[in-house]
Amino acid sequence: KAIFTRLAEAEAKIHDSTPDKVHFHEVGAVDAIVDIVGACIGIEKLGVDKVVASSIATGCGFVKCQHGTIPVPVPATVELLRGKPTVQTGIEAELCTPTGAAIISTLAESFGEKLSIKVEQTGYGAGSRDLEIPNLVRLMLGEVDDTESSYDVVLIESNIDDDSPEIIGYACEQLFAAGALDVWTTPIMMKKHRSGVSLSVLCQPDDKQKMLDLLFKETSTFGLRIRYVEREILDREIVQVNTPYGTVGVKIGRRDNVIVSISPEYEDCRTVALESGVALKKIYEAATQAVND
């Protein structure tokens, strides 16, 4: 129902109509039922918990339909893939139809994500046309490897020279509150020797659009640089340790089950330092020693 609804809403928008009045022309009522229902049956039978898709290849050129000659990807496909990563291959063919776009855009939780997976089965669906590339759709089924410590994150950057420090500081607070993994600024010298800052944001791929919207809303930037970078992290946990001055939390990082990093939590140490009158650095030393002991 969700897939058919997305398809109807897209067709309605393109035809300036409403979903209940949409007639599936080229999509084809029978074809759409077979494709959509068949895909959903397959997902259910395979016991799939999560669908992750690659960027969608759309093709280019033109295609003839009841409305005449229209560009590829066709308007309904473009609407259905709005906000999803697509790839222009230069191949003059319709590589993604509205029905296919409706299915994948509804089922997939994320696109273009680097996923560590233990592949158990692979399936291929072949098209009838001969193309410059293999005319195949590939499906890989497997278990996500939760032990993997390396994965892709998004790095968003912008050079800003006409916002006050207060504006930049507020933007950083909002980015953190929205789920950014890290936010930082770097002093830079811009054109005409104007002082500025390079504002950098690290986030999960699924949070990219949210971060972009916030940056355009809260800063004066006219453009943003976006890169996918690989991030490798330690297995981490926060433990409570007792020191002679009070209890504090300590973040412990492990690699291959060996402790390689110890970082006392600042707020806990600050509270204990204020209550005990002991220097903050002493609290840090005591917490680190407690972990080592």
Side-chain angles (χ1 to χ4, degrees), residues 6-169:
R6 277 186 59 81
L7 186 58
E9 289 174 346
E11 292 284 356
K13 182 175 180 179
I14 297 303
H15 291 89
D16 194 23
S17 181
T18 58
D20 59 313
K21 295 180 180 179
V22 166
H23 176 65
F24 293 142
H25 296 289
E26 278 73 26
V27 169
V30 175
D31 286 351
I33 291 172
V34 172
D35 292 342
I36 293 172
V37 176
C40 291
I41 290 173
I43 292 294
E44 182 176 355
K45 291 290 186 182
L46 291 171
V48 173
D49 297 316
K50 179 179 181 179
V51 175
V52 176
S54 62
S55 297
I56 305 300
T58 57
C60 62
F62 295 87
V63 65
K64 292 183 179 180
C65 67
Q66 288 187 5
H67 300 293
T69 301
I70 58 177
V72 174
V74 300
T77 298
V78 173
E79 176 63 25
L80 285 160
L81 295 180
R82 184 157 49 90
K84 314 298 183 186
T86 59
V87 178
Q88 284 283 3
T89 60
I91 296 175
E92 294 191 5
E94 188 180 16
L95 302 183
C96 182
T97 64
T99 304
I103 292 171
I104 195 63
S105 64
T106 304
L107 294 180
E109 295 183 22
S110 59
F111 288 79
E113 179 180 334
K114 180 181 176 182
L115 194 66
S116 178
I117 183 174
K118 299 174 182 176
V119 178
E120 297 173 352
Q121 297 180 55
T122 305
Y124 295 87
S128 58
R129 288 176 298 176
D130 290 329
L131 301 175
E132 302 165 40
I133 61 174
N135 188 8
L136 298 169
V137 173
R138 178 169 63 177
L139 181 70
M140 291 183 288
L141 181 69
E143 293 288 335
V144 175
D145 186 0
D146 293 326
T147 63
E148 182 65 48
S149 62
S150 179
Y151 59 95
D152 279 356
V153 292
V154 180
L155 176 62
I156 307 170
E157 296 178 312
S158 179
N159 295 347
I160 304 172
D161 64 2
D162 53 354
D163 274 337
S164 69
E166 292 87 354
I167 295 295
I168 298 296

Side-chain angles (χ1 to χ4, degrees), residues 216-234:
F216 282 123
K217 174 186 175 183
E218 298 293 352
T219 74
S220 61
T221 185
F222 273 72
L224 300 164
R225 300 182 298 277
I226 304 169
R227 287 183 290 155
Y228 283 83
V229 297
E230 188 173 281
R231 183 187 193 220
E232 188 156 330
I233 63 172
L234 298 174

Side-chain angles (χ1 to χ4, degrees), residues 241-244 248 250 262 264 282-293:
V241 298
N242 296 317
T243 74
V248 300
V250 179
I262 299 172
K282 291 286 188 182
I283 308 300
Y284 270 84
E285 292 170 358
T288 301
Q289 187 61 47
V291 174
N292 289 326
D293 290 344

